[in-house]
Amino acid sequence: MSFRKHMENKVRLAKASIAKASALQGRFWGPKAQIIKWLFNTVIKPSLTYGCIVWSLSISKADKNMLQQINRLALRCMAQLRTGTPTMGLEMIFD
């Protein structure tokens, strides 16, 4: 039993939500990084991981990669950084 289709749908919805959140801010205006982080942690991440107890043991490496890409995309929306900023550094900065 594979949850590939479910994961693709959830990732698509999460990317759309992150895109809407990033559209709220500009370089010099919009909500601060803490508000984007709050939005990601309270709205987007729970909707992405709902029911993860069921599908977490059967996801593949490609599915894990999709989840990491969502995390990186959200971290890059929290702050205006270069595109080559390491993901581990972003994770340390934003806890």
Side-chain angles (χ1 to χ4, degrees):
M1 196 168 175
S2 173
F3 289 93
R4 181 74 174 177
K5 202 69 157 160
H6 173 76
M7 289 294 297
E8 289 173 354
N9 186 31
K10 288 294 187 178
V11 166
R12 183 180 51 79
L13 292 173
K15 282 184 180 179
S17 298
I18 291 170
K20 289 177 187 174
S22 68
L24 295 174
Q25 67 182 12
R27 187 166 177 86
F28 299 110
W29 53 272
K32 295 181 179 180
Q34 292 90 359
I35 298 195
I36 301 293
K37 181 180 177 183
W38 174 83
L39 184 66
F40 178 69
N41 286 331
T42 58
V43 177
I44 299 169
K45 195 188 300 183
S47 69
L48 181 65
T49 58
Y50 179 75
C52 66
I53 291 181
V54 175
W55 52 260
S56 65
L57 297 176
S58 65
I59 62 173
S60 65
K61 187 169 178 134
D63 296 333
K64 288 180 186 179
N65 191 24
M66 282 194 301
L67 294 174
Q68 288 174 344
Q69 287 174 356
I70 291 292
N71 191 33
R72 178 170 173 74
L73 180 64
L75 290 172
R76 285 202 47 225
C77 288
M78 289 178 199
Q80 302 294 326
L81 301 169
R82 293 181 155 197
T83 57
T85 306
T87 305
M88 294 295 278
L90 290 172
E91 289 173 352
M92 290 195 61
I93 290 170
F94 289 105
D95 198 22

